[in-house]
Amino acid sequence: MNPENRLVGAETDGEDADEQAVEAALRPKQLGEFIGQPKVREQLDLVLRAARARGGTADHVLLSGAPGLGKTTLSMIIAAEMGAPIRITSGPAIQHAGDLAAILSSLQEGEVLFLDEIHRMSRPAEEMLYMAMEDFRVDVIVGKGPGATAIPLELPPFTLVGATTRAGLLPPPLRDRFGFTAHMEFYEPAELEQVVHRSAQLLEVHTDPAGAVEIAGRSRGTPRIANRLLRRVRDYAQVKGHGVITRETAAAALEVYEVDARGLDRLDRAVLGALLKLFGGGPVGLSTLAVAVGEERETVEEVAEPFLVREGLLVRTPRGRVATPAAWAHMGLTPPQQPSGPSGSSSAAPGGPGQPGLFGA
Ligand code: ADP
């Protein structure tokens, strides 16, 4: 299985142009339309209102959180609310300080610069960014060796919106230069239901409340996944149903795509299934588990496990991976009986069956 093409993957790696276009069409355009994340919304609203009242640019904003939770969307909202243009780029696209200097020097006054995956920027670019964020100035180095000269370049005031999935990887000097930092959490099911209803309306497909509940429950706390599942369910409803998304159509459609009631897909279920059926629930080492499901170690560790851990279905222990009671229940399997040796479980009541008195007084 190619993990990049997972229906329940939150990254955009496997998306085609069509999918990106739909995603763009579904983005909320204003803060008032943005669902969930109440604290982030409230705080950001204050930051933007204050900046507008001052007639200045907003402070630099750092957004952290898992893929698909709305970081790009929020950066566009910031620009829209400030009535400013936006430039979008990413850390990996900026490998040389010169790349960054070219972008910074062409910004308009008040422009929002969205820098996705900011933790993946090169070190020299990062250092240039420090000065740009603080003083709206960069030193462009011209020439090489002893003859190299730094030419200071004034920049118009701008707002940097940095996004990262790993806030912990940002060097403190960079983190400290953001005036406002927000951490985005996974969404509650009720919030995802709202996302589904909103997107269904934009896609002009009728979804009844129970249908939205069914999709939301399988969306792994992530709006991007909710929107993606909605589109697949819509296809199914069009082809097999009356075009209306009910609980039954949503469940049947997602069964076809092998996304179960909790949002686990084939890979997740294969990992969990092997752990339970072949290794009695563990502990088992990661490499052994990976071989058992015919996947790379990294795929199991980085693609399947984070969600299983988050859902409380699997735990990583020093002795290996262990399934939780919830995993047995979810997969409809019964855990093996714990061997009740003579050393006595609490069930071996004194005088009861078993070997009473063997270790007794
Ligand atoms: P990120 O940049 O964090 O990976 P995006 O901003 O690209 O995530 O969001 C992915 C998709 O999810 C977008 O199409 C957007 O429509 C939708 N989305 C994200 N957050 C929300 C939200 N709070 N309300 C409604 N839709 C959202």
Side-chain angles (χ1 to χ4, degrees), residues 244-329:
V244 176
I245 297 179
T246 60
R247 197 193 70 74
E248 290 74 22
T249 31
L254 294 173
E255 197 158 307
V256 171
Y257 287 104
E258 301 183 287
V259 177
D260 79 12
R262 226 165 146 163
L264 275 66
D265 74 350
R266 192 154 58 87
L267 174 68
D268 303 318
R269 291 182 68 88
V271 170
L272 218 48
L275 178 58
L276 300 178
K277 291 182 211 156
L278 302 179
F279 306 106
V284 60
L286 173 62
S287 303
T288 311
L289 188 58
V291 170
V293 291
E295 293 287 352
E296 297 293 330
R297 208 183 127 94
E298 291 73 28
T299 305
V300 172
E301 186 173 31
E302 289 161 25
V303 183
E305 280 187 355
F307 180 64
L308 297 176
V309 171
R310 209 179 95 209
E311 283 288 288
L313 297 170
L314 178 148
V315 276
R316 294 166 168 166
T317 74
R319 291 171 58 222
R321 274 48 179 175
V322 178
T324 64
W328 290 98

Side-chain angles (χ1 to χ4, degrees), residues 23 26-28 34-35 67-73 187 223-224 227:
E23 186 160 276
L26 297 180
R27 278 185 207 287
F34 194 83
I35 295 159
L69 297 188
K71 300 183 292 300
T72 310
T73 305
Y187 289 66
R224 172 172 292 131
N227 283 341

